[in-house]
Each structure stands twice: as structure tokens, then as C-alpha cells.
Amino acid sequence: MTEVKTLLKNIDGSRDFIIDLQTKMTACPAITPHAEGGLGEAAKAEVILETLKALKFDEIKVIEIKDPASPTGVRPNIVAKYYGQNRKKTLWLMAHMDVVPAGDLALWKTDPFKAVVKGDKIYGRGTEDNQQGLVSGILVAKAMMEAGVRPAVNYGLLLNADEEVGSRYGIVSILKKHRSLFGKDDCFLVPDSGSCGGEKVEIAEKSLLWLKITVNGKQAHASMPQNGKNAFVAASYLVLALRDLYKKFNKKDRLFDVPFSVFEATKHEANVPNVNTIPGQEVFYMDCRILPCYDNKRVLAEAQKIAAAVAKKHKVAIKVEAVIDEVSKATDKNEPVVKLVSKYVREIYRKQPKIQGVGGGTVAAYLRNAGFPAVVYARFDEMMHQPNEYCSIKNTMGDAKIFLLTALNLK
Ligand SMILES: [Zn+2]
């Protein structure tokens, strides 16, 4: 008991360490080299490696993923491990090094790439997304190392490149080409999203299905509708007919914040430039967020069936195709890592944890689909991607305590 207290106290005493590391990282804008002027993660990775090497990790390595657009030709991903008593299993904390661009500088009160400390807050691009989680993860290791404590299973840090633009040079490649890094019983903490109060413990997301719908009719002069087939009119009927997807796939799952699947018509491509032409083609899109109990293929087939009926009635041709089709597995709420995080949210923040699913499209889906339990958790003021982004030092410490207690108690 006293041992745990010593470890938690170590985290309470880490304000200077947090500010120092945040300041050094913020000074290295790790923006994707695929955006204008982006230099990638190389400089930031150096700063982080310097910090990790000063601690007592048993293994530190850099996995470089080839990217010709990067000034160094590669994108670095850092893997560091502190051995537990059982070396066959690892609790990973996964965070990302890259940041989004600063955006409109006129909206910033301070230089986005120079950390500024005001009370509990550290301002700067990336301080919250994802440096807060990254620092929390390092604090966990540092506390255990300085007290000479070994967790039951290994504690690993996986610090990735390229999260903000699709993870192609980060976790996606790592899972594909370096799968041997992971043991079959490994699990993950991903401190990359959360709620202001720190209640939200995210374990699932909806599957994502984006549909492109092309309606082909026949162009004609607007004064002569009998010579054409109005694709816009047919598409409009179809937009409304597709609302039936809500009825067809209407199951509820209270785990999710929006507890049902959603099927929304969204983007619409320009058709004809002038008012006096009946458009011969219409293209529009749907964003579908589907509960895990449904199969994306069934939704696509149902949308095609609805489209076929509209096509017949309006004498047009309609093609419905999937442009994004990402199925997402959920992490079981009874997984030990979920239970432990929830327990310590209660203990550290004195909040009732809310185990939840989200709308879809997060980096944890790659891990869950690869078969690993993954908990997305952080206490965030939700400043990510915004001007005047900041992180909270208190939240950095609080999250670190939750992760530390999880690491100490996971078997
Ligand atoms: Zn992030």
C-alpha cells in the first residue's frame, strides 16, 4: 500500500518534468510531410527518445516506415518496453507523435509552437492531442522505474507517426509488417479521446459505410421534359426512400451515445450549371454509422434494393457503391483492462465511469479489428485541433495515475 502511495506521489511531483517535455515536443512541429511545409515526426521522435533513454526501459527501438515524402525518407514509430514479471503479455499505451497544422495564426494568442504555461494549462499545438496522453504514458513508466517496481505484465509504449492523416505510416503498417511485436494476450490504452469530466471510457465504435450514389437519367431542355429523364427528381425521391434504412436497421444499443444506426444523405455533387437544363446525372453520398450487430454488406444490399425500386419507377439507372467500408469490432466491457480503467476512474477522479461506444473512425478500431482489447481514455478539455490548444497538467497526472494503477494490477 505504501508502495502504491509512493508511486502516486512520484506522479504528483512531476509538474516540472511535464512542462519540460511538453515544451521540447511542442517546439518540433510534427506535421505530415504530405502537407505543405510538413517535416514529419523525426525531430520530435529525437526529443522523445532522449527522454526515454534517460529512464530505465528494457527495450527501446524505432520502427521506420518508408515514406518518400518525408525529408528523412522514413516515418519513425517508437516502441519502448519495461518488463513485467510475466514477459509474455504487454499492456501497451499507444499515443501519436504527429500534430495537425496550427491553422489560422491570427486566432492564436501565443505562438503555437512555443509552449506557454499558465497555471494548470500548457498552451501550444499538440499539447493535448496527443502529447498529454504521451506524457501520461511516460509518467507511468517513470514512476515504476524510479521506485524499482515491476508490474505483473510488461508495460509498453507505442508512439506512432501519421495518426492525423490515416495512420498509413503508423499503426496500420506496424500491425501489417511488425505484428510479431505483439503477443496474443496484449491489450491497449489509447489516451487520444475523452470527456471533460473524465467519465467516458470508450470501448467500441460503429462500423463506417460511406455510399456513393449515381443516378443516370437523360439530359434535356427544361421546356421539353418529355425528351429527358430528370436525374435530380429521381435522386430526390431516392434520398427520401433511403430514410427507410432507419426502419429496417432499427435496433438500439445503449452502449452508444447515439444508441441506433444512422443513415444520412450528405454530400451532393454539382449537376448542371444553368437553370434551363434538366440534369442527366446526379451524384450524392450517404454517411452510414452502423451498430456492430449489423453487417455493412446487408445495409449496402438494402440500399441497392431501395435504389432499384426508385430506378424502375423513374426510368433511370442507379448505382449504389461503397466508397468507405470499415467494420469495427468492439472490446468486451468485461475485459480486465476495461474493468481496471473504470475502477480507477472512480478512485482517482471520483466519477462514475461511463463505458461507451462512439460514432466511428478512431485509431482504436485498427487494434480492435486485429483482435486486441483497446480502451480509449483520457480526461480532456477537448481542445484538440483548435486554436489556443492547451493541455491540463492536472489531467495529465490524473490520467497517468489511472494508467499506473491499471498497469500495476493487470495480470
Ligand atoms: Zn489525436
Side-chain angles (χ1 to χ4, degrees):
M1 198 57 219
T2 33
E3 191 177 66
V4 173
K5 272 192 185 148
T6 313
L7 290 167
L8 295 176
K9 231 175 150 188
N10 182 303
I11 289 174
D12 282 327
S14 61
R15 182 181 162 95
D16 292 345
F17 180 89
I18 294 170
I19 292 171
D20 181 59
L21 184 52
Q22 279 278 12
T23 304
K24 286 182 191 155
M25 289 195 290
T26 307
C28 310
I31 294 163
T32 174
H34 297 262
E36 201 180 325
L39 295 172
E41 300 85 357
K44 189 162 173 178
E46 279 310 314
V47 163
I48 295 166
L49 281 168
E50 201 182 292
T51 302
L52 298 182
K53 282 176 185 161
L55 298 171
K56 290 175 187 153
F57 281 97
D58 297 300
E59 275 178 42
I60 300 176
K61 59 181 161 191
V62 180
I63 295 178
E64 295 180 325
I65 306 292
K66 268 202 194 101
D67 180 4
S70 164
T72 54
V74 292
R75 306 285 292 279
N77 292 268
I78 299 174
V79 181
K81 240 185 209 184
Y82 182 55
Y83 296 147
Q85 285 140 38
N86 165 11
R87 292 195 193 177
K88 289 211 173 84
K89 176 172 174 173
T90 303
L91 169 68
W92 294 94
L93 184 137
M94 184 171 96
H96 63 88
M97 296 186 280
D98 58 316
V99 299
V100 293
D104 186 354
L105 288 177
L107 299 174
W108 282 81
K109 294 194 186 104
T110 59
D111 180 344
F113 297 108
K114 193 169 171 287
V116 173
V117 184
K118 281 184 198 157
D120 180 52
K121 293 173 180 164
I122 308 173
Y123 289 85
R125 172 56 83 228
T127 50
E128 185 181 71
D129 181 16
N130 192 204
Q131 288 164 203
Q132 180 180 315
L134 195 156
V135 174
S136 295
I138 294 177
L139 289 180
V140 173
K142 181 174 169 286
M144 290 191 285
M145 289 164 182
E146 288 178 358
V149 170
R150 292 278 173 182
V153 302
N154 302 327
Y155 177 71
L157 290 176
L158 179 57
L159 310 177
N160 292 325
D162 201 37
E163 191 275 341
E164 297 291 359
V165 280
S167 291
R168 189 172 158 195
Y169 305 100
I171 189 61
V172 170
S173 289
I174 304 246
L175 284 170
K176 216 185 276 171
K177 297 180 192 151
H178 300 271
R179 186 61 186 259
S180 59
L181 278 173
F182 309 113
K184 66 174 183 21
D185 299 322
D186 289 6
C187 55
F188 286 81
L189 298 167
V190 185
D192 196 19
S193 174
S195 55
C196 292
E199 303 92 347
K200 189 167 122 185
V201 178
E202 187 216 300
I203 60 161
E205 55 192 78
K206 290 177 184 169
S207 297
L208 204 57
L209 179 66
W210 287 2
L211 299 178
K212 179 183 182 186
I213 296 156
T214 308
V215 179
N216 282 308
K218 190 172 171 234
Q219 188 172 309
H221 193 283
S223 65
M224 299 290 197
Q226 72 278 16
N227 294 340
K229 287 173 193 160
N230 195 327
F232 183 27
V233 171
S236 303
Y237 275 99
L238 179 56
V239 166
L240 296 179
L242 287 166
R243 306 298 285 174
D244 280 354
L245 292 171
Y246 275 104
K247 287 186 214 149
K248 183 90 189 171
F249 301 98
N250 63 353
K251 277 193 197 150
K252 286 200 171 134
D253 184 343
R254 298 258 312 279
L255 181 66
F256 291 86
D257 200 0
V258 176
F260 45 84
S261 306
V262 301
F263 308 94
E264 288 296 313
T266 52
K267 183 175 153 179
H268 180 272
E269 281 179 12
N271 50 22
V272 289
N274 50 314
V275 176
N276 56 356
T277 297
I278 287 172
Q281 190 183 66
E282 280 294 323
V283 179
F284 68 96
Y285 298 81
M286 280 189 87
D287 182 331
C288 311
R289 311 271 164 151
I290 301 161
L291 287 179
C293 61
Y294 292 120
D295 182 355
N296 282 11
K297 284 189 190 66
R298 262 190 65 208
V299 174
L300 175 62
E302 187 61 29
Q304 284 167 334
K305 199 171 124 195
I306 293 170
V310 172
K312 197 173 165 201
K313 193 166 172 207
H314 293 267
K315 301 185 176 62
V316 293
I318 303 177
K319 188 174 171 193
V320 181
E321 57 195 313
V323 285
I324 298 263
D325 182 354
E326 289 171 1
V327 175
S328 187
K329 281 188 197 154
T331 291
D332 195 301
K333 62 177 188 298
N334 294 315
E335 278 291 337
V337 65
V338 178
K339 289 194 152 169
L340 287 170
V341 169
S342 306
K343 177 179 175 197
Y344 297 118
V345 164
R346 223 176 269 127
E347 216 160 273
I348 297 296
Y349 288 138
R350 312 238 163 252
K351 299 269 181 170
Q352 185 58 32
K354 268 195 231 152
I355 298 175
Q356 267 187 15
V358 294
T362 81
V363 76
Y366 300 118
L367 302 168
R368 296 188 186 121
N369 286 341
F372 300 113
V375 175
V376 177
Y377 181 82
R379 187 172 184 169
F380 269 168
D381 281 356
E382 299 187 81
M383 293 303 297
M384 47 187 58
H385 301 203
Q386 296 193 42
N388 306 305
E389 177 180 353
Y390 66 82
C391 75
S392 151
I393 295 172
K394 244 196 296 172
N395 291 349
T396 310
M397 293 177 182
D399 290 357
K401 288 178 187 173
I402 290 168
F403 302 148
L404 171 70
L405 292 166
T406 301
L408 291 174
N409 290 287
L410 189 78
K411 297 271 163 14

